[in-house]
Amino acid sequence: MFKIHTVVGARPQFIKAAVVSRELLTVGTVEESIIHTGQHYDQNMSEVFFDELSIPKPKYNLEIGGKSHGKMTGDMMTALEELWMKEKPNLILVYGDTNSTLAGALAAAKMHIPVVHVEAGLRSFNKKMPEEVNRILTDHVSELLLCPTPRAKELLESEGISGEKVVHSGDVMYDAVLFYKDKALNLDWQLEGLNRNFVLCTLHRAENTDSEERMTDILSAIGDLGEQVVLPLHPRTKKLLELYNLTLPANVITTEPLSYLKMIKLLSDCSFVITDSGGLQKESYFMGKYCITVRDETEWVELTENNVNFLVGSNKEKILEAVNEIGAAKGLPILGHYGDGSAGKSIVNNLVRMFINE
Ligand code: UD1
């Protein structure tokens, strides 16, 4: 059997891996094992996704979470190296841009095990973001790079990564929305306290949460919205709000982090989205909703260029201006940048073509 080890650790990676794992089951000669680094460890940041999305349970959990970036990445690499000396996988699959992605890619590259990167070629051009460093380094040690958009492929080519190892596969998160949408919309679940139109908001990026000023500005804008705002709280955000002693505006309903299906359901029901998440910017679009991104740059420029996503930083006036623009907008255009929902298939076909050759 051809042994694939998939390294995941953070919330969005569980969703992306679900799409590819399902496709891998159709290749008879492959044995996939999921390695959970433990980066996200709370039940509602991790386990719930495995249950809800029917992802194969991790064969190993390295239980390395809640540490500084260097320690987390280093400890993961040490543990992965030990594991791979024993298990001798033929190929390592990594997703996105987290510390788990980089640890998996570097540990594998140093052991001369081919690395395949799903969601390759994204750039924010801000190297202060840990995610930007993680993506650049991962791309440069990967032997197959699967790009969600044509632009991602071009960006890789501009960095000298080209040839048959760079493939535009489409976006696995689009596949995921198409696959799980009906199930999400049929969920028998209602958020307590939600009784009218609402805005869906998430905040967790270090660039916002680590700045009391930015958090204050964003919350102040949110407080001025005429609608309720649903804010599922990432543990990092919760901790820092307490540290800064910030009171949330009266129109905000907070919840624990929510499962994927609950988020898709809220996306379907909300007026629009305010977020600093990468994934949610696209999921908003896939679910037909405008998005205001409270960051200074975005990797998903197709959305900002087509005015379905408004990139506004943390400035209160700009956030409220974007809210007005959304109010006046006529409806979202149809964009074809993220593929046709067959990214998972394309990824597996390319794995077979380049490495497995049944
Ligand atoms: C990570 C990724 C980010 C991704 C996000 C998705 C990196 C550098 N960042 O950010 O790209 O968008 O995941 O959510 O890898 N914590 C808990 N419980 C948990 C998980 C985390 O309390 O289940 C705490 C940690 O101890 C830490 C903080 O939250 O203090 C941040 O967690 P961390 O894994 O460092 O990064 P994220 O902000 O989640």
Side-chain angles (χ1 to χ4, degrees):
M1 290 293 253
F2 188 91
K3 283 171 84 170
I4 296 183
H5 276 202
T6 295
V7 180
V8 290
R11 205 163 43 170
Q13 291 168 330
F14 310 140
I15 301 159
K16 293 167 194 168
V19 172
V20 178
S21 290
R22 196 171 44 246
E23 280 309 320
L24 279 174
L25 289 175
T26 63
V27 187
T29 50
V30 165
E31 179 191 302
E32 186 198 19
S33 302
I34 309 273
I35 318 298
H36 192 324
T37 61
Q39 179 169 352
H40 285 174
Y41 46 89
D42 288 345
Q43 201 274 343
N44 53 20
M45 296 283 285
S46 172
E47 216 173 299
V48 65
F49 292 90
F50 285 84
D51 294 341
E52 188 174 76
L53 308 181
S54 311
I55 309 169
K57 291 278 175 227
K59 185 166 178 192
Y60 298 97
N61 189 324
L62 309 179
E63 294 182 4
I64 299 165
K67 298 174 198 272
S68 68
H69 285 276
K71 175 115 182 82
M72 190 194 299
T73 313
D75 285 358
M76 286 174 189
M77 284 182 67
T78 309
L80 288 168
E81 186 179 67
E82 254 171 50
L83 176 69
W84 291 339
M85 282 197 303
K86 197 173 69 185
E87 283 262 356
K88 304 201 180 341
N90 300 101
L91 184 144
I92 306 304
L93 201 48
V94 296
Y95 292 86
D97 57 14
T98 72
N99 292 336
S100 300
T101 314
L102 178 63
L106 275 186
K110 284 175 181 292
M111 296 177 78
H112 306 159
I113 311 171
V115 180
V116 173
H117 187 201
V118 176
E119 209 176 70
L122 296 183
R123 298 291 181 265
S124 67
F125 301 102
N126 174 4
K127 284 201 184 135
K128 290 205 173 120
M129 285 177 71
E131 292 85 357
E132 180 77 353
V133 176
N134 293 344
R135 338 179 155 101
I136 295 174
L137 296 177
T138 301
D139 283 342
H140 282 259
V141 296
S142 292
E143 292 191 22
L144 173 61
L145 299 99
L146 299 147
C147 305
T149 61
R151 184 187 151 91
K153 190 164 180 254
E154 282 163 26
L155 280 175
L156 287 175
E157 281 158 0
S158 74
E159 289 178 19
I161 308 176
S162 60
E164 63 157 12
K165 68 179 184 178
V166 185
V167 173
H168 170 220
S169 59
D171 193 324
V172 285
M173 292 193 83
Y174 184 45
D175 291 26
V177 165
L178 294 179
F179 189 82
Y180 293 108
K181 191 168 153 185
D182 283 348
K183 203 170 169 194
L185 300 192
N186 287 320
L187 267 191
D188 184 18
W189 170 80
Q190 193 85 47
L191 190 67
E192 224 183 290
L194 197 57
N195 48 30
R196 51 189 164 103
N197 292 345
F198 68 94
V199 175
L200 180 59
C201 177
T202 74
L203 299 167
H204 80 274
R205 290 275 172 185
E207 67 210 76
N208 285 326
T209 55
D210 290 357
S211 159
E212 184 172 349
E213 196 187 333
R214 286 182 74 103
M215 287 299 275
T216 307
D217 286 350
I218 296 167
L219 290 176
S220 168
I222 285 172
D224 278 8
L225 299 177
E227 301 184 38
Q228 284 185 307
V229 175
V230 174
L231 179 66
L233 273 185
H234 186 290
R236 168 210 287 285
T237 315
K238 190 168 179 216
K239 250 186 262 171
L240 286 155
L241 284 175
E242 281 161 17
L243 182 76
Y244 304 145
N245 214 0
L246 285 178
T247 314
L248 292 169
N251 59 333
V252 173
I253 305 177
T254 60
T255 76
E256 294 290 302
L258 294 172
S259 75
Y260 180 70
L261 296 182
K262 288 179 180 169
M263 283 300 283
I264 296 293
K265 187 168 166 66
L266 287 179
L267 272 172
S268 161
D269 294 343
C270 73
S271 311
F272 60 90
V273 174
I274 298 180
T275 192
D276 58 12
S277 151
L280 203 58
Q281 292 174 50
K282 278 177 303 162
E283 284 165 341
S284 308
Y285 170 69
F286 299 151
M287 293 302 292
K289 298 298 153 90
Y290 286 98
C291 179
I292 298 176
T293 298
V294 284
R295 284 178 48 192
D296 297 328
E297 61 281 309
T298 179
E299 301 77 27
W300 304 107
V301 287
E302 309 79 21
L303 299 176
T304 47
E305 282 168 4
N306 287 286
N307 292 328
V308 298
N309 185 1
F310 298 84
L311 187 66
V312 294
S314 61
N315 181 281
K316 180 175 173 178
E317 277 69 43
K318 285 197 177 159
I319 297 173
L320 295 174
E321 261 169 44
V323 173
N324 285 336
E325 277 196 58
I326 290 173
K330 297 266 182 295
L332 282 86
I334 295 168
L335 310 174
H337 302 82
Y338 301 105
D340 59 4
S342 62
K345 274 198 175 60
S346 162
I347 287 167
V348 171
N349 287 343
N350 279 287
L351 285 176
V352 170
R353 172 179 68 88
M354 283 193 58
F355 303 101
I356 306 170
N357 298 319
E358 277 180 296

PDB file of all heavy atoms in Angstrom, residues 64-91:
ATOM      1  N   ILE A  64       0.419  18.760  20.758  1.00  0.00           N
ATOM      2  CA  ILE A  64       1.320  19.907  20.895  1.00  0.00           C
ATOM      3  C   ILE A  64       0.543  21.179  20.564  1.00  0.00           C
ATOM      4  O   ILE A  64       0.416  21.565  19.410  1.00  0.00           O
ATOM      5  CB  ILE A  64       2.536  19.754  19.954  1.00  0.00           C
ATOM      6  CG1 ILE A  64       3.318  18.491  20.326  1.00  0.00           C
ATOM      7  CG2 ILE A  64       3.442  20.988  20.043  1.00  0.00           C
ATOM      8  CD1 ILE A  64       4.305  18.041  19.287  1.00  0.00           C
ATOM      9  N   GLY A  65      -0.031  21.801  21.570  1.00  0.00           N
ATOM     10  CA  GLY A  65      -0.792  23.037  21.349  1.00  0.00           C
ATOM     11  C   GLY A  65      -0.499  24.003  22.477  1.00  0.00           C
ATOM     12  O   GLY A  65       0.128  23.630  23.479  1.00  0.00           O
ATOM     13  N   GLY A  66      -0.946  25.250  22.311  1.00  0.00           N
ATOM     14  CA  GLY A  66      -0.827  26.232  23.390  1.00  0.00           C
ATOM     15  C   GLY A  66       0.604  26.611  23.715  1.00  0.00           C
ATOM     16  O   GLY A  66       0.935  26.849  24.875  1.00  0.00           O
ATOM     17  N   LYS A  67       1.479  26.643  22.712  1.00  0.00           N
ATOM     18  CA  LYS A  67       2.873  27.030  22.957  1.00  0.00           C
ATOM     19  C   LYS A  67       3.237  28.209  22.061  1.00  0.00           C
ATOM     20  O   LYS A  67       2.511  28.536  21.135  1.00  0.00           O
ATOM     21  CB  LYS A  67       3.808  25.851  22.627  1.00  0.00           C
ATOM     22  CG  LYS A  67       3.582  24.608  23.477  1.00  0.00           C
ATOM     23  CD  LYS A  67       4.454  23.465  22.948  1.00  0.00           C
ATOM     24  CE  LYS A  67       3.971  22.128  23.444  1.00  0.00           C
ATOM     25  NZ  LYS A  67       4.490  21.692  24.690  1.00  0.00           N
ATOM     26  N   SER A  68       4.396  28.803  22.298  1.00  0.00           N
ATOM     27  CA  SER A  68       4.863  29.889  21.425  1.00  0.00           C
ATOM     28  C   SER A  68       5.126  29.308  20.032  1.00  0.00           C
ATOM     29  O   SER A  68       5.287  28.089  19.887  1.00  0.00           O
ATOM     30  CB  SER A  68       6.137  30.497  21.984  1.00  0.00           C
ATOM     31  OG  SER A  68       7.178  29.549  21.877  1.00  0.00           O
ATOM     32  N   HIS A  69       5.221  30.177  19.030  1.00  0.00           N
ATOM     33  CA  HIS A  69       5.351  29.693  17.650  1.00  0.00           C
ATOM     34  C   HIS A  69       6.562  28.768  17.470  1.00  0.00           C
ATOM     35  O   HIS A  69       6.453  27.689  16.898  1.00  0.00           O
ATOM     36  CB  HIS A  69       5.478  30.877  16.682  1.00  0.00           C
ATOM     37  CG  HIS A  69       4.179  31.573  16.470  1.00  0.00           C
ATOM     38  ND1 HIS A  69       3.256  31.156  15.560  1.00  0.00           N
ATOM     39  CD2 HIS A  69       3.642  32.649  17.085  1.00  0.00           C
ATOM     40  CE1 HIS A  69       2.194  31.960  15.615  1.00  0.00           C
ATOM     41  NE2 HIS A  69       2.414  32.860  16.537  1.00  0.00           N
ATOM     42  N   GLY A  70       7.710  29.211  17.949  1.00  0.00           N
ATOM     43  CA  GLY A  70       8.938  28.436  17.745  1.00  0.00           C
ATOM     44  C   GLY A  70       8.864  27.091  18.440  1.00  0.00           C
ATOM     45  O   GLY A  70       9.186  26.048  17.866  1.00  0.00           O
ATOM     46  N   LYS A  71       8.409  27.113  19.696  1.00  0.00           N
ATOM     47  CA  LYS A  71       8.347  25.870  20.475  1.00  0.00           C
ATOM     48  C   LYS A  71       7.326  24.916  19.850  1.00  0.00           C
ATOM     49  O   LYS A  71       7.586  23.721  19.712  1.00  0.00           O
ATOM     50  CB  LYS A  71       7.980  26.218  21.926  1.00  0.00           C
ATOM     51  CG  LYS A  71       7.764  25.047  22.829  1.00  0.00           C
ATOM     52  CD  LYS A  71       8.832  25.004  23.927  1.00  0.00           C
ATOM     53  CE  LYS A  71       8.679  23.789  24.843  1.00  0.00           C
ATOM     54  NZ  LYS A  71       9.272  22.577  24.294  1.00  0.00           N
ATOM     55  N   MET A  72       6.184  25.481  19.454  1.00  0.00           N
ATOM     56  CA  MET A  72       5.135  24.645  18.871  1.00  0.00           C
ATOM     57  C   MET A  72       5.654  23.970  17.595  1.00  0.00           C
ATOM     58  O   MET A  72       5.577  22.747  17.430  1.00  0.00           O
ATOM     59  CB  MET A  72       3.917  25.521  18.520  1.00  0.00           C
ATOM     60  CG  MET A  72       2.672  24.748  18.136  1.00  0.00           C
ATOM     61  SD  MET A  72       1.384  25.765  17.333  1.00  0.00           S
ATOM     62  CE  MET A  72       0.959  26.972  18.527  1.00  0.00           C
ATOM     63  N   THR A  73       6.235  24.776  16.699  1.00  0.00           N
ATOM     64  CA  THR A  73       6.685  24.250  15.408  1.00  0.00           C
ATOM     65  C   THR A  73       7.826  23.247  15.626  1.00  0.00           C
ATOM     66  O   THR A  73       7.847  22.164  15.024  1.00  0.00           O
ATOM     67  CB  THR A  73       7.148  25.418  14.497  1.00  0.00           C
ATOM     68  OG1 THR A  73       6.165  26.454  14.551  1.00  0.00           O
ATOM     69  CG2 THR A  73       7.314  24.981  13.065  1.00  0.00           C
ATOM     70  N   GLY A  74       8.763  23.599  16.503  1.00  0.00           N
ATOM     71  CA  GLY A  74       9.909  22.723  16.767  1.00  0.00           C
ATOM     72  C   GLY A  74       9.477  21.398  17.387  1.00  0.00           C
ATOM     73  O   GLY A  74       9.913  20.319  16.957  1.00  0.00           O
ATOM     74  N   ASP A  75       8.604  21.469  18.378  1.00  0.00           N
ATOM     75  CA  ASP A  75       8.141  20.231  19.035  1.00  0.00           C
ATOM     76  C   ASP A  75       7.384  19.344  18.041  1.00  0.00           C
ATOM     77  O   ASP A  75       7.503  18.112  18.074  1.00  0.00           O
ATOM     78  CB  ASP A  75       7.225  20.556  20.224  1.00  0.00           C
ATOM     79  CG  ASP A  75       8.011  21.065  21.427  1.00  0.00           C
ATOM     80  OD1 ASP A  75       9.253  21.125  21.337  1.00  0.00           O
ATOM     81  OD2 ASP A  75       7.378  21.416  22.446  1.00  0.00           O
ATOM     82  N   MET A  76       6.613  19.980  17.167  1.00  0.00           N
ATOM     83  CA  MET A  76       5.884  19.176  16.161  1.00  0.00           C
ATOM     84  C   MET A  76       6.875  18.483  15.231  1.00  0.00           C
ATOM     85  O   MET A  76       6.711  17.304  14.901  1.00  0.00           O
ATOM     86  CB  MET A  76       4.954  20.069  15.323  1.00  0.00           C
ATOM     87  CG  MET A  76       3.714  20.539  16.048  1.00  0.00           C
ATOM     88  SD  MET A  76       2.838  21.717  14.975  1.00  0.00           S
ATOM     89  CE  MET A  76       1.604  22.340  16.100  1.00  0.00           C
ATOM     90  N   MET A  77       7.894  19.212  14.803  1.00  0.00           N
ATOM     91  CA  MET A  77       8.878  18.616  13.886  1.00  0.00           C
ATOM     92  C   MET A  77       9.579  17.421  14.534  1.00  0.00           C
ATOM     93  O   MET A  77       9.751  16.379  13.911  1.00  0.00           O
ATOM     94  CB  MET A  77       9.932  19.655  13.475  1.00  0.00           C
ATOM     95  CG  MET A  77       9.436  20.649  12.463  1.00  0.00           C
ATOM     96  SD  MET A  77      10.736  21.788  11.982  1.00  0.00           S
ATOM     97  CE  MET A  77      11.853  20.680  11.103  1.00  0.00           C
ATOM     98  N   THR A  78       9.953  17.586  15.796  1.00  0.00           N
ATOM     99  CA  THR A  78      10.645  16.498  16.500  1.00  0.00           C
ATOM    100  C   THR A  78       9.746  15.261  16.570  1.00  0.00           C
ATOM    101  O   THR A  78      10.167  14.143  16.282  1.00  0.00           O
ATOM    102  CB  THR A  78      10.999  16.946  17.941  1.00  0.00           C
ATOM    103  OG1 THR A  78      11.663  18.197  17.856  1.00  0.00           O
ATOM    104  CG2 THR A  78      11.867  15.949  18.651  1.00  0.00           C
ATOM    105  N   ALA A  79       8.491  15.510  16.938  1.00  0.00           N
ATOM    106  CA  ALA A  79       7.567  14.378  17.096  1.00  0.00           C
ATOM    107  C   ALA A  79       7.286  13.720  15.741  1.00  0.00           C
ATOM    108  O   ALA A  79       7.209  12.481  15.642  1.00  0.00           O
ATOM    109  CB  ALA A  79       6.264  14.863  17.732  1.00  0.00           C
ATOM    110  N   LEU A  80       7.143  14.531  14.697  1.00  0.00           N
ATOM    111  CA  LEU A  80       6.840  13.967  13.366  1.00  0.00           C
ATOM    112  C   LEU A  80       8.033  13.148  12.852  1.00  0.00           C
ATOM    113  O   LEU A  80       7.861  12.067  12.282  1.00  0.00           O
ATOM    114  CB  LEU A  80       6.490  15.086  12.377  1.00  0.00           C
ATOM    115  CG  LEU A  80       5.123  15.741  12.611  1.00  0.00           C
ATOM    116  CD1 LEU A  80       4.971  17.014  11.784  1.00  0.00           C
ATOM    117  CD2 LEU A  80       3.975  14.765  12.293  1.00  0.00           C
ATOM    118  N   GLU A  81       9.221  13.667  13.070  1.00  0.00           N
ATOM    119  CA  GLU A  81      10.415  12.946  12.608  1.00  0.00           C
ATOM    120  C   GLU A  81      10.493  11.554  13.260  1.00  0.00           C
ATOM    121  O   GLU A  81      10.721  10.555  12.590  1.00  0.00           O
ATOM    122  CB  GLU A  81      11.656  13.778  12.939  1.00  0.00           C
ATOM    123  CG  GLU A  81      12.940  13.207  12.380  1.00  0.00           C
ATOM    124  CD  GLU A  81      14.114  14.112  12.723  1.00  0.00           C
ATOM    125  OE1 GLU A  81      14.457  14.215  13.923  1.00  0.00           O
ATOM    126  OE2 GLU A  81      14.681  14.692  11.798  1.00  0.00           O
ATOM    127  N   GLU A  82      10.261  11.548  14.555  1.00  0.00           N
ATOM    128  CA  GLU A  82      10.292  10.255  15.275  1.00  0.00           C
ATOM    129  C   GLU A  82       9.250   9.286  14.712  1.00  0.00           C
ATOM    130  O   GLU A  82       9.516   8.124  14.452  1.00  0.00           O
ATOM    131  CB  GLU A  82       9.950  10.488  16.745  1.00  0.00           C
ATOM    132  CG  GLU A  82      11.138  10.380  17.660  1.00  0.00           C
ATOM    133  CD  GLU A  82      10.760  10.831  19.066  1.00  0.00           C
ATOM    134  OE1 GLU A  82       9.741  10.345  19.588  1.00  0.00           O
ATOM    135  OE2 GLU A  82      11.494  11.696  19.604  1.00  0.00           O
ATOM    136  N   LEU A  83       8.050   9.839  14.510  1.00  0.00           N
ATOM    137  CA  LEU A  83       6.952   9.020  14.006  1.00  0.00           C
ATOM    138  C   LEU A  83       7.273   8.481  12.612  1.00  0.00           C
ATOM    139  O   LEU A  83       7.049   7.305  12.306  1.00  0.00           O
ATOM    140  CB  LEU A  83       5.676   9.873  13.965  1.00  0.00           C
ATOM    141  CG  LEU A  83       4.442   9.214  13.372  1.00  0.00           C
ATOM    142  CD1 LEU A  83       3.944   8.102  14.291  1.00  0.00           C
ATOM    143  CD2 LEU A  83       3.330  10.235  13.167  1.00  0.00           C
ATOM    144  N   TRP A  84       7.827   9.329  11.758  1.00  0.00           N
ATOM    145  CA  TRP A  84       8.064   8.928  10.373  1.00  0.00           C
ATOM    146  C   TRP A  84       9.265   8.001  10.240  1.00  0.00           C
ATOM    147  O   TRP A  84       9.338   7.218   9.298  1.00  0.00           O
ATOM    148  CB  TRP A  84       8.181  10.178   9.481  1.00  0.00           C
ATOM    149  CG  TRP A  84       6.845  10.873   9.364  1.00  0.00           C
ATOM    150  CD1 TRP A  84       5.624  10.297   9.589  1.00  0.00           C
ATOM    151  CD2 TRP A  84       6.582  12.236   9.039  1.00  0.00           C
ATOM    152  NE1 TRP A  84       4.623  11.219   9.409  1.00  0.00           N
ATOM    153  CE2 TRP A  84       5.176  12.423   9.067  1.00  0.00           C
ATOM    154  CE3 TRP A  84       7.383  13.341   8.718  1.00  0.00           C
ATOM    155  CZ2 TRP A  84       4.559  13.647   8.802  1.00  0.00           C
ATOM    156  CZ3 TRP A  84       6.774  14.562   8.440  1.00  0.00           C
ATOM    157  CH2 TRP A  84       5.379  14.708   8.484  1.00  0.00           C
ATOM    158  N   MET A  85      10.192   8.070  11.184  1.00  0.00           N
ATOM    159  CA  MET A  85      11.290   7.089  11.150  1.00  0.00           C
ATOM    160  C   MET A  85      10.719   5.688  11.361  1.00  0.00           C
ATOM    161  O   MET A  85      11.161   4.722  10.771  1.00  0.00           O
ATOM    162  CB  MET A  85      12.334   7.427  12.211  1.00  0.00           C
ATOM    163  CG  MET A  85      13.215   8.568  11.729  1.00  0.00           C
ATOM    164  SD  MET A  85      14.765   8.823  12.576  1.00  0.00           S
ATOM    165  CE  MET A  85      14.317   9.043  14.233  1.00  0.00           C
ATOM    166  N   LYS A  86       9.704   5.636  12.198  1.00  0.00           N
ATOM    167  CA  LYS A  86       9.071   4.356  12.516  1.00  0.00           C
ATOM    168  C   LYS A  86       8.104   3.927  11.409  1.00  0.00           C
ATOM    169  O   LYS A  86       8.134   2.794  10.942  1.00  0.00           O
ATOM    170  CB  LYS A  86       8.307   4.545  13.844  1.00  0.00           C
ATOM    171  CG  LYS A  86       7.924   3.279  14.561  1.00  0.00           C
ATOM    172  CD  LYS A  86       7.346   3.597  15.931  1.00  0.00           C
ATOM    173  CE  LYS A  86       6.003   4.279  15.787  1.00  0.00           C
ATOM    174  NZ  LYS A  86       5.300   4.775  16.878  1.00  0.00           N
ATOM    175  N   GLU A  87       7.263   4.861  10.962  1.00  0.00           N
ATOM    176  CA  GLU A  87       6.148   4.526  10.062  1.00  0.00           C
ATOM    177  C   GLU A  87       6.504   4.503   8.577  1.00  0.00           C
ATOM    178  O   GLU A  87       5.803   3.922   7.775  1.00  0.00           O
ATOM    179  CB  GLU A  87       5.002   5.520  10.278  1.00  0.00           C
ATOM    180  CG  GLU A  87       4.185   5.267  11.530  1.00  0.00           C
ATOM    181  CD  GLU A  87       2.913   4.494  11.193  1.00  0.00           C
ATOM    182  OE1 GLU A  87       2.656   4.249  10.003  1.00  0.00           O
ATOM    183  OE2 GLU A  87       2.184   4.146  12.128  1.00  0.00           O
ATOM    184  N   LYS A  88       7.554   5.237   8.225  1.00  0.00           N
ATOM    185  CA  LYS A  88       8.021   5.318   6.835  1.00  0.00           C
ATOM    186  C   LYS A  88       6.908   5.571   5.806  1.00  0.00           C
ATOM    187  O   LYS A  88       6.690   4.760   4.898  1.00  0.00           O
ATOM    188  CB  LYS A  88       8.790   4.045   6.456  1.00  0.00           C
ATOM    189  CG  LYS A  88       9.952   3.746   7.394  1.00  0.00           C
ATOM    190  CD  LYS A  88      10.961   2.839   6.748  1.00  0.00           C
ATOM    191  CE  LYS A  88      12.145   2.506   7.621  1.00  0.00           C
ATOM    192  NZ  LYS A  88      12.450   3.334   8.765  1.00  0.00           N
ATOM    193  N   PRO A  89       6.230   6.716   5.945  1.00  0.00           N
ATOM    194  CA  PRO A  89       5.205   7.038   4.938  1.00  0.00           C
ATOM    195  C   PRO A  89       5.843   7.357   3.589  1.00  0.00           C
ATOM    196  O   PRO A  89       7.007   7.751   3.529  1.00  0.00           O
ATOM    197  CB  PRO A  89       4.523   8.284   5.517  1.00  0.00           C
ATOM    198  CG  PRO A  89       5.527   8.885   6.441  1.00  0.00           C
ATOM    199  CD  PRO A  89       6.359   7.754   6.968  1.00  0.00           C
ATOM    200  N   ASN A  90       5.062   7.179   2.501  1.00  0.00           N
ATOM    201  CA  ASN A  90       5.574   7.478   1.153  1.00  0.00           C
ATOM    202  C   ASN A  90       5.385   8.947   0.786  1.00  0.00           C
ATOM    203  O   ASN A  90       6.057   9.448  -0.130  1.00  0.00           O
ATOM    204  CB  ASN A  90       4.828   6.646   0.105  1.00  0.00           C
ATOM    205  CG  ASN A  90       4.993   5.170   0.341  1.00  0.00           C
ATOM    206  OD1 ASN A  90       4.113   4.515   0.881  1.00  0.00           O
ATOM    207  ND2 ASN A  90       6.139   4.637  -0.028  1.00  0.00           N
ATOM    208  N   LEU A  91       4.442   9.608   1.456  1.00  0.00           N
ATOM    209  CA  LEU A  91       4.118  10.981   1.051  1.00  0.00           C
ATOM    210  C   LEU A  91       3.427  11.711   2.210  1.00  0.00           C
ATOM    211  O   LEU A  91       2.690  11.086   2.971  1.00  0.00           O
ATOM    212  CB  LEU A  91       3.163  10.899  -0.145  1.00  0.00           C
ATOM    213  CG  LEU A  91       2.719  12.165  -0.841  1.00  0.00           C
ATOM    214  CD1 LEU A  91       2.602  11.848  -2.340  1.00  0.00           C
ATOM    215  CD2 LEU A  91       1.375  12.654  -0.348  1.00  0.00           C
TER     216      LEU A  91
END
